[in-house]
Amino acid sequence: MVSFVDPQNQTVYAWHGYGYAVLLVIVTFLQSVFLQQYFQRCFVLGMKVRTAIMAVVYKKALVVSNDARKESTVGETVNLMSADAQRFNDVTNFIHLLWSCPLQIVLALVFLWIELGPSVLAGLLVMVLMVPINGLLATKSKTFQMKNMKLKDKRMKIMNEILNGIKILKLYAWEPSFEAQVQDIREDELKVMRKFAYLSSVSTFVFSCAPALWSGPPQDPHRTPTEQVSLATFAVFVSVSPDNVLDAQKAFTSISLFNILRFPLGMLPMLISSMVQTAVSKKRLEKFLGGEDLDVMAVQHDSSFSNLNIPLFQQGLGMQGMIQTAISVTSGTFSWGKDAEPTLKKKRQMEIPLLMDVMPSCCRVPPVPLHSRA
């Protein structure tokens, strides 16, 4: 396009320029259609992943053992179904950038090599120098995220206790005390979030600080180190040889290729940060879902016990009817924990019958349980 509008170039036919313009419009249209289809499918997939995680956590909460239930409170379970599940939804929307961003960077560098030759290695060196900085920021971000999730679980736990015991709390006028506790936890949480915001600002500054060569608006949220890359590349290109002339055609083509680098270089830090948060949520989900379940074989449902009808006559009340065995325990041992000392031992068989079809002298009474029989 640049060579076509050059007045000194008389060897290009006019229909070439119109063809380039039409192709540019078609390519832009197809890019928009494919990109919208990609995001729509990724968003649907993210919602399915989030829904599946919420269903698995809810199903696990119904069968988790008492020992495992002590390690995770109700607030932690709620956070797993809301915050942690949302992390997977967010990362699923941009998961394909893991391979598309490096592919875009490699293709842009290949075309830049064709245009500028080995001078593009200077820009590549600038991008390589950003990798350790990005790794350090990602490590710090993971630490702050783990602290934030722990404080959030603690806050959700105490809020759940407050709501469950609101009557007693109101009766004894303990509102100021519990309010102070929640405020202290919230202050600690805000401190961690403030540090995380400072770290994000540093990350944005590192990837946004640009020299004088800047072609975008000052408040562009997608500012990336492409200007540093382009400045280093152009400086090396014009300085290595006097034969290298930076004309308009070469400059605008190179700048367009550098603009292609802007999106992957801008999305990679966000993707890395989102993956770090998802990794923290993944460990929390693995810890909860890997907990011990209730032993389903400890209780057996036998329909033959319901057929044991025993005649009943209770003197003094004028009631008579039939009883059925509701619960039968054989050699049962009861304790508050798996490794705790048994609180109640029952070596012989214990049956808890259920009173059925009892008819008093005046009217029928509802079924009532009888005393245990050892």
Side-chain angles (χ1 to χ4, degrees):
M1 292 291 291
V2 176
S3 61
F4 174 76
V5 298
D6 188 1
Q8 298 180 357
N9 190 359
Q10 304 294 334
T11 60
V12 180
Y13 294 99
W15 63 271
H16 286 177
Y18 294 108
Y20 293 150
V22 172
L23 289 177
L24 185 62
V25 173
I26 294 176
V27 169
T28 304
F29 174 77
L30 293 178
Q31 179 186 6
S32 177
V33 171
F34 292 150
L35 192 62
Q36 294 302 320
Q37 285 294 319
Y38 159 75
F39 279 115
Q40 194 269 341
R41 296 179 183 274
C42 286
F43 288 160
V44 171
L45 178 61
M47 290 298 297
K48 290 182 178 180
V49 171
R50 178 173 178 268
T51 305
I53 293 176
M54 293 175 63
V56 169
V57 172
Y58 180 76
K59 184 178 180 180
K60 179 68 176 182
L62 297 177
V63 298
V64 68
S65 63
N66 294 330
D67 293 335
R69 194 182 300 275
K70 296 177 182 179
E71 300 178 358
S72 58
T73 61
V74 178
E76 294 179 3
T77 307
V78 172
N79 280 335
L80 290 175
M81 298 179 63
S82 58
D84 294 307
Q86 185 63 35
R87 296 278 187 267
F88 284 87
N89 185 15
D90 297 337
V91 77
T92 306
N93 298 334
F94 304 99
I95 191 64
H96 290 287
L97 295 179
L98 282 176
W99 63 268
S100 63
C101 285
L103 179 62
Q104 295 180 48
I105 293 175
V106 170
L107 291 178
L109 291 177
V110 169
F111 288 116
L112 283 172
W113 184 280
I114 297 175
E115 290 292 331
L116 302 177
S119 302
V120 74
L121 295 177
L124 181 62
L125 179 62
V126 174
M127 290 188 292
V128 171
L129 292 177
M130 293 293 177
V131 174
I133 299 177
N134 196 15
L136 178 62
L137 295 176
T139 303
K140 289 291 184 180
S141 175
K142 181 178 180 180
T143 303
F144 290 147
Q145 188 66 24
M146 293 180 66
K147 291 182 179 179
N148 187 25
M149 294 304 295
K150 289 181 180 179
L151 291 173
K152 185 179 293 186
D153 291 340
K154 187 177 180 180
R155 178 170 56 86
M156 291 294 295
K157 177 182 177 182
I158 191 172
M159 287 299 300
N160 183 70
E161 293 176 353
I162 290 174
L163 294 176
N164 289 335
I166 191 65
K167 292 183 179 180
I168 299 177
L169 190 143
K170 289 286 187 180
L171 179 63
Y172 289 96
W174 287 342
E175 297 96 329
S177 176
F178 280 89
E179 181 182 0
Q181 295 183 33
V182 175
Q183 288 293 338
D184 292 340
I185 298 175
R186 184 58 179 167
E187 287 295 331
D188 295 338
E189 188 177 355
L190 289 176
K191 288 180 181 178
V192 176
M193 294 178 65
R194 193 176 296 112
K195 292 180 181 178
F196 184 79
Y198 291 156
L199 187 65
S200 301
S201 300
V202 172
S203 177
T204 304
F205 174 77
V206 170
F207 284 90
S208 299
C209 59
L213 181 56
W214 167 242
S215 60
Q219 303 297 331
D220 192 351
H222 300 290
R223 297 179 67 176
T224 61
T226 53
E227 290 73 30
Q228 298 174 353
V229 176
S230 60
L231 178 64
T233 304
F234 288 154
V236 173
F237 176 75
V238 297
S239 59
V240 293
S241 176
D243 297 333
N244 293 337
V245 178
L246 190 63
D247 54 1
Q249 180 178 352
K250 192 177 295 294
F252 282 108
T253 303
S254 301
I255 290 176
S256 299
L257 293 174
F258 284 125
N259 289 333
I260 295 176
L261 288 174
R262 180 177 300 162
F263 178 77
L265 291 179
M267 293 301 297
L268 274 179
M270 298 174 56
L271 181 61
I272 293 175
S273 177
S274 180
M275 291 185 64
V276 168
Q277 297 177 8
T278 307
V280 176
S281 300
K282 173 177 170 291
K283 292 182 179 179
R284 289 163 51 86
L285 287 169
E286 288 179 348
K287 180 181 178 181
F288 179 78
L289 297 177
E292 184 181 3
D293 294 344
L294 292 173
D295 187 7
V296 296
M297 301 302 296
V299 179
Q300 298 181 358
H301 299 275
D302 193 350
S303 60
S304 62
F305 285 96
S306 62
N307 297 325
L308 298 178
N309 297 326
I310 305 174
L312 168 69
F313 178 77
Q314 188 168 355
Q315 297 179 356
L317 297 179
M319 296 187 300
Q320 60 182 2
M322 305 295 293
I323 60 172
Q324 295 180 350
T325 303
I327 300 175
S328 177
V329 181
T330 305
S331 301
T333 300
F334 303 91
S335 61
W336 291 106
K338 185 176 181 181
D339 300 329
E341 291 293 332
T343 305
L344 178 62
K345 292 183 178 180
K346 198 69 177 179
K347 296 183 179 179
R348 293 181 298 172
Q349 184 175 357
M350 179 179 65
E351 294 181 357
I352 302 177
L354 184 66
L355 185 61
M356 300 294 295
D357 297 330
V358 176
M359 188 63 120
S361 57
C362 60
C363 60
R364 184 183 297 271
V365 297
V368 294
L370 298 179
H371 296 288
S372 301
R373 179 170 56 86

